[in-house]
Each structure stands twice: as structure tokens, then as C-alpha cells.
């Protein structure tokens, strides 16, 4: 079956929930091959996460996550504000959450967190902070409570998917960073 015959046509759509971070959309869709139904998608905001290696260790944050009701250790990141590039957001989020500033921010890649659920425009951008240095200042959002930590790259790589290292954005970032290291 060719790509064209896999396509579905949206006949109507309706926003059924609006939040500060995402909207839920109901779509009446029909496949070119015949089946039709109501399908739901999430229109999220673009977000960024930042790989920063300082003195051989990953710059990380530890925080409570409401969805899983667990503590996670992850790399800094957040929502890209309107009008910001992913690189600008990465520089801002890195400093706000970890107190580190980079000489240069490099975009390593972007992905859709889950194309089965998330609309186009909900991308995660992964950036690399070149030569990060501590500023000694953080600027958490009003609803953020977190610790900053430095963890060896090997520990994070070997522990991914266990304990506190369960955030899928971390795994995506590690993969992009591995590819970067192989090419440079």
C-alpha cells in the first residue's frame, strides 16, 4: 500500500478542552480506504530540553512530576515562549532552572513526543549547551520546586529507564547527544 492510500481526511474538528499547556481536539476523520471515526489529539506547546555537560557531568534537575506522582531527575527544559527560537528558549531555560549559561546553543534535533496523540506543532527540540559555566543564580517559575545536580554521563546513560531517570525526553536527548558525539 502506498503512502497516499494511508491518508485520512479530517471532516470536522472541535476543541473539547483548553489548558495552559495543551488543548484536546476531537476530529471526525475518514481513511481513503473507507474506515471513519472520532479521534482525539493533543495540541501541545513547543518545548525544549538542553544537554549541558560540565566537568564531565550532566547538568540536571530533580523535581516532582504531577502526572506520575514521582520524583524525576532530568535535564533542564521547558516551553518555548511565543516569538522565541528553540535556541533562545534553551539558553533561557538552562539558566532559569540550573544557573548555567552556555557560550553557544546548538540545535541537535526535534521530534514529536507521540504522533499518535500530539498534533504537528507540539515538537520537542533538543539542544546542546556548549561550554556551560555556572552563574550561581537560578530563576524558577512560581510553581517550580527543584534541586540542581550534576550526574556523570555514564550513570545517567546506564540508569535511563529506571529509578528517577524515566522521563522520555531524557532518552531522546541522550540519543541526539550520542549522535552528535559520533559526528564531532
Amino acid at each position: 500500500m502506498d503512502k497516499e492510500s494511508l491518508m485520512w481526511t479530517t471532516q470536522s474538528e472541535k476543541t473539547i478542552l483548553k489548558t495552559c499547556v495543551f488543548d484536546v481536539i476531537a476530529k471526525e476523520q475518514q481513511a481513503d480506504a473507507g474506515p471513519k471515526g472520532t479521534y482525539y489529539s493533543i495540541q501541545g506547546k513547543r518545548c525544549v530540553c538542553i544537554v549541558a555537560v560540565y566537568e564531565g557531568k550532566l547538568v540536571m534537575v530533580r523535581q516532582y512530576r504531577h502526572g506520575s506522582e514521582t520524583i524525576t531527575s532530568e535535564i533542564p527544559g521547558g516551553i518555548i515562549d511565543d516569538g522565541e527560537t528553540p535556541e533562545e528558549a534553551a539558553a533561557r531555560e538552562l539558566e532559569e532552572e540550573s544557573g548555567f549559561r552556555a557560550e553557544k546553543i546548538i540545535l541537535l534535533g526535534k521530534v514529536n513526543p507521540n504522533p499518535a496523540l500530539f498534533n504537528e506543532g507540539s515538537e520537542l527540540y533538543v539542544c546542546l549547551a556548549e561550554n556551560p559555566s555556572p552563574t550561581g543564580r537560578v530563576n524558577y517559575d512560581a510553581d517550580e520546586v527543584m534541586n540542581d545536580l550534576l550526574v556523570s554521563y555514564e550513570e545517567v546513560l546506564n540508569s535511563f529507564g529506571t529509578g528517577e531517570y524515566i522521563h522520555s525526553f531524557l532518552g531522546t536527548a541522550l540519543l541526539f547527544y550520542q549522535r552528535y558525539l559520533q559526528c564531532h
Side-chain angles (χ1 to χ4, degrees):
M1 195 180 283
D2 63 11
K3 283 185 181 182
E4 295 296 319
S5 59
L6 295 173
M7 292 303 296
W8 290 61
T9 303
T10 301
Q11 297 165 329
S12 67
E13 66 179 62
K14 178 181 176 185
T15 301
I16 59 173
L17 175 67
K18 288 184 95 44
T19 76
C20 61
V21 264
F22 65 86
D23 298 339
V24 178
I25 300 161
K27 298 178 183 181
E28 296 296 326
Q29 294 182 309
Q30 182 165 5
D32 288 350
K36 62 182 178 178
T38 303
Y39 299 90
Y40 299 89
S41 63
I42 299 168
Q43 179 63 58
K45 299 202 181 230
R46 296 179 315 143
C47 56
V48 65
C49 63
I50 308 97
V51 175
V53 180
Y54 177 72
E55 296 181 348
K57 296 185 177 187
L58 276 174
V59 174
M60 301 191 72
V61 295
R62 178 181 285 141
Q63 63 186 318
Y64 178 83
R65 288 301 191 176
H66 297 280
S68 62
E69 297 183 349
T70 59
I71 303 293
T72 63
S73 291
E74 53 199 67
I75 58 178
I79 292 174
I80 299 172
D81 291 337
D82 290 339
E84 266 186 325
T85 66
E87 294 88 346
E88 290 167 340
R92 176 182 52 76
E93 287 287 349
L94 178 65
E95 191 163 358
E96 284 177 3
E97 292 191 351
S98 70
F100 276 80
R101 183 176 291 149
E103 281 182 17
K104 181 179 178 183
I105 299 288
I106 299 170
L107 179 63
L108 298 180
K110 72 174 183 173
V111 295
N112 182 310
N114 182 349
L117 298 175
F118 286 88
N119 288 358
E120 191 173 341
S122 303
E123 290 90 5
L124 164 68
Y125 293 80
V126 178
C127 292
L128 173 65
E130 272 198 341
N131 300 317
S133 58
T135 66
R137 295 179 309 276
V138 293
N139 186 24
Y140 302 137
D141 291 342
D143 64 346
E144 289 180 320
V145 178
M146 59 181 68
N147 302 64
D148 304 314
L149 55 152
L150 296 171
V151 184
S152 77
Y153 178 72
E154 291 75 24
E155 179 181 335
V156 175
L157 192 61
N158 292 331
S159 299
F160 178 69
T162 65
E164 293 182 7
Y165 302 101
I166 59 169
H167 198 306
S168 64
F169 287 8
L170 175 61
T172 300
L174 292 172
L175 182 61
F176 276 121
Y177 183 57
Q178 283 288 90
R179 183 175 69 186
Y180 175 84
L181 291 175
Q182 290 175 350
C183 296
H184 291 86

